[in-house]
Amino acid sequence: MFAKALRQLMVEVLIDPANTLPAQIKPGEHLVSLSEDLPKGGSWFQSLARLLEKARTGIICVTPENRASPWLLFEAGALIRCDVEVALFPVLLDLPPAAIDGPLGLVQATLIQRDPAAIKRETLQLLTRVTGHVNDVRERKNETPRIQITPPAQETPTSGPAPGPDPWTDFAAAVLKIQSASVVSIFDRFPQLFERKTFQEPFNDCADQRWLDRYAGARIARDEMERHKDGIRAALPPGAQLAYDRLSAAVDSYAMAIGGQLITEREFGRDHDGRLGDKEGRLAVCERRRREIRAAYMRLRDPIPPVFDDARIYEELSDLEERKMRLIHPLEQRLDAARANPSLDPVVHEWQLTRAATSPWIYDRLVFYMHSARADDALTFQNLIDGLEREISLLESRDQPATLVGLYYALEAVETRGADKAETKRFHDLLDRVVARIESWNRPPDATTGADSVDANRKIRRMVERLRGADSRE
């Protein structure tokens, strides 16, 4: 998808004044070819060779999924060997330069980051280098005229006429829509390893008690994860790497537990409900590990990736205090610094906030709330109250007590920004729902807790009281 989007952009913005093609052909249509368009089969290599005879540059689009592809490396090598005048330009999406080696690792690469302005800027620099090389070759061969680039359109004032179509804007939007790389996109057998009885069925519900099969399944999953470890580390960001390593360690512990507790194929009796009895707790040891694996697998398998990589790290940390020290407090400091000094690069971008507001990952939503509490005009009270309602709906959908962190930061953002008079009734209805949910299923503070310790329940109750009091004073 990335290569196709880049080709479409080049077709739109590259101009060859010598073009004599029919008017319905776009200016750059005859300048760009995609290797995917070549015929497959016995004539593929000959077709590629003929294409390279007239080629002046080769742009290799590298993503986490194809970074180790033999065909990509073959094409890169063919471009380098074919003609000394053919320049190679690697373009990396969601990858650091250290993630590529071989012929591609010897060439300066263009890094594409998921920010609209950066996408346009870096791609314009890439095409400037590409056309510069082509024009130099043309000049040495006495070929004219020079290839030109139509640059991105300048931002128009909001009071002026609506801007026309801009291929650069369309290209940036297409890149942002490309699904981020995941463990599954790199390691395609990953779901098959875990969507099986070995990890899905609770031990007490096991019908055949074939513990050796479970042990073998855990060993297979552990060994396959180990074989893919280097590829995952090279292609995915730190948060996904940490989650993968934690899952791999959990699978290893699971295999060891089955081997130590059940490897003799011991038989368990059944109770009146048909569930296996476990007086010695042997099944419980393995079951705890199975549940940990299931939860870790679901986090990695989530079809909606987080907006911020730290969202995965947040889920892997053990408790709220560690999450605050490593992630939340540093983020608050960066946001405060950016607000105090507008000349600094933004901590988060508007397009990220739009996605983070409705993300299923709690850290993404925390970033949205913490930024909202410090924003001046970027977000309205409507955005915040919508977020608050989403947090309450999440809590109301659960039968068991759940974390209140998202709700706390949503309320804190509302308290900091101030309520909108037009939303007073809806806002008070939401506050009533907060109190009702806490009273219905959340456990009260532990009686043994020290006087200076305040839990999330108490903090939220106090915040609700302050918000109601502020409205009554106004």
Side-chain angles (χ1 to χ4, degrees), residues 161-383:
D166 179 17
W168 292 92
T169 299
D170 295 341
F171 172 68
V175 172
L176 291 177
K177 289 179 181 178
I178 296 174
Q179 190 75 19
S180 298
S182 65
V183 172
V184 178
S185 67
I186 298 168
F187 179 5
D188 57 1
R189 269 184 44 80
F190 180 70
Q192 299 176 30
L193 295 177
F194 293 93
E195 297 289 342
R196 52 197 299 186
K197 176 180 176 179
T198 299
F199 300 105
Q200 298 288 325
E201 183 183 63
F203 276 81
N204 289 100
D205 292 334
C206 182
D208 55 25
Q209 301 191 48
R210 297 174 62 178
W211 312 125
L212 281 172
D213 287 351
R214 291 205 179 199
Y215 178 70
R219 290 284 300 270
I220 291 171
R222 181 195 64 186
D223 294 344
E224 287 219 32
M225 290 191 71
E226 184 66 22
R227 281 195 292 272
H228 285 81
K229 181 172 64 176
D230 291 342
I232 295 295
R233 287 179 176 174
L236 293 184
Q241 295 174 29
L242 175 62
Y244 187 88
D245 290 344
R246 290 282 181 87
L247 176 57
S248 180
V251 172
D252 186 50
S253 176
Y254 181 63
M256 292 175 63
I258 295 175
Q261 301 295 327
L262 308 173
I263 202 63
T264 59
E265 293 283 359
R266 79 175 59 241
E267 291 283 337
F268 294 83
R270 298 184 181 275
D271 61 19
H272 62 279
D273 291 326
R275 295 172 62 84
L276 300 183
D278 185 27
K279 294 181 179 179
E280 296 178 345
R282 292 179 180 273
L283 294 178
V285 171
C286 300
E287 178 63 14
R288 284 196 298 271
R289 287 161 174 77
R290 187 196 68 82
R291 289 180 179 178
E292 291 173 359
I293 289 171
R294 180 64 180 163
Y297 164 71
M298 292 304 295
R299 291 197 296 271
L300 270 176
R301 184 66 178 87
D302 196 311
I304 303 178
V307 178
F308 305 101
D309 181 55
D310 282 348
R312 293 196 183 278
I313 299 177
Y314 182 94
E315 296 295 336
E316 297 302 324
L317 297 180
S318 59
D319 56 41
L320 181 58
E321 287 305 314
E322 187 177 7
R323 290 165 173 169
K324 285 183 176 180
M325 292 298 296
R326 290 188 55 180
L327 296 175
I328 295 177
H329 293 332
L331 174 62
E332 289 176 326
Q333 293 170 1
R334 295 196 302 273
L335 289 170
D336 289 337
R339 186 180 186 186
N341 187 357
S343 64
L344 295 176
D345 291 336
V347 178
V348 293
H349 299 277
E350 185 174 350
W351 66 272
Q352 291 175 314
L353 290 171
T354 301
R355 292 171 52 196
T358 57
S359 172
W361 297 79
I362 186 170
Y363 180 81
D364 287 345
R365 302 199 304 275
L366 295 186
V367 174
F368 170 74
Y369 299 136
M370 286 187 278
H371 182 277
S372 301
R374 294 159 175 80
D376 294 324
D377 300 320
L379 295 165
T380 66
F381 182 75
Q382 182 69 45
N383 298 120

